[in-house]
Amino acid sequence: MTMMFKAEAFSPHESLAAELIPHATEGDDGSHDLAHILRVFRSAMRIHAAEGGKAHVLAAAVLLHDCVAVEKNSPLRAQASALAAEKASRILRELGWGDEDIADVAHAVTAHSFSANVPPETLEAKILQDADRLDAIGMVGVARCFYIAARLGSGLYDPFDPAAEDRPLDDKRYAIDHFQTKLFKLADGFQTRTGRELATARDKSLRDFLAAFMDEI
């Protein structure tokens, strides 16, 4: 697969994508790889079509929002988006971007992260946050949850108390605990009307999956 072919998947921002894709990801985390970037881009463009905003800023923020890799269990996890924003700013400055656009991209990148707990203040930041969180719920969210659990060495569930009725939830030990500790909370925090509409359907899929999973075990 050539770089140009990859860039064309990011139409109508393929020229920007060709410049930024080489910087878009680090490491070997399959939940934050180029496929994730592309899914977030498509969701962001879908929301942008309805909500507006500066398309070039949004596209750049999507392409660079995970340009620094920090594992989920790292003590630096809450700083990951700020580190990505710093790197994104350097990259865009080297490409000749203006200070205002760089600042807007940096804010969107910083605010997208759940762990950072930074409120998105611009429309582009709100759209990126929504688009990134859409990838954490629904069926793709289920797949990513179990992928990350396996990557970090977690079990699927507590065989003696899978619903955590008599124990504290612990998503570092059990994958399905992550549904309660984080994933089910995401749908209530969407920033745009279009994002909320998309999240409603995916949140239902997430809850239907867990109900079926619990029934099987």
Side-chain angles (χ1 to χ4, degrees), residues 46-105:
R46 184 173 178 180
I47 297 171
H48 164 71
E51 304 285 342
K54 294 184 283 188
H56 67 292
V57 167
L58 179 60
V62 169
L63 284 158
L64 296 175
H65 78 278
D66 280 335
C67 66
V68 172
V70 180
E71 289 283 4
K72 291 287 189 182
N73 59 353
S74 168
L76 296 176
R77 182 61 193 169
Q79 302 173 39
S81 65
L83 295 172
E86 291 176 8
K87 182 177 176 180
S89 297
R90 293 195 301 271
I91 292 167
L92 295 176
R93 193 167 292 112
E94 290 171 0
L95 292 173
W97 280 50
D99 290 344
E100 183 177 345
D101 283 346
I102 290 173
D104 286 345
V105 171

Side-chain angles (χ1 to χ4, degrees), residues 8 15 29 34 50 54 57 59 128 135 150 153 158 188:
E8 288 174 351
S15 296
D29 182 354
L34 190 57
K54 294 184 283 188
V57 167
L128 174 57
D135 210 50
D158 180 344
D188 290 335

Side-chain angles (χ1 to χ4, degrees), residues 1-10 14-25 34 63:
M1 182 183 295
T2 66
M3 184 60 69
M4 182 54 67
F5 182 82
K6 291 179 181 178
E8 288 174 351
F10 293 86
E14 52 265 51
S15 296
L16 180 61
E19 292 181 314
L20 298 185
I21 283 174
H23 308 285
T25 61
L34 190 57
L63 284 158

Side-chain angles (χ1 to χ4, degrees), residues 29-51:
D29 182 354
S31 67
H32 294 92
D33 57 3
L34 190 57
H36 165 70
I37 300 293
L38 182 56
R39 291 192 303 270
V40 174
F41 175 82
R42 288 171 173 164
S43 291
M45 290 300 105
R46 184 173 178 180
I47 297 171
H48 164 71
E51 304 285 342

Side-chain angles (χ1 to χ4, degrees), residues 5 17 32 45 48 59 84 90 129 142 151 171 190 194-195 204:
F5 182 82
H32 294 92
M45 290 300 105
H48 164 71
R90 293 195 301 271
Q129 187 182 97
V142 170
R151 185 178 176 87
D171 61 355
F190 276 70
T194 307
K204 183 179 185 303

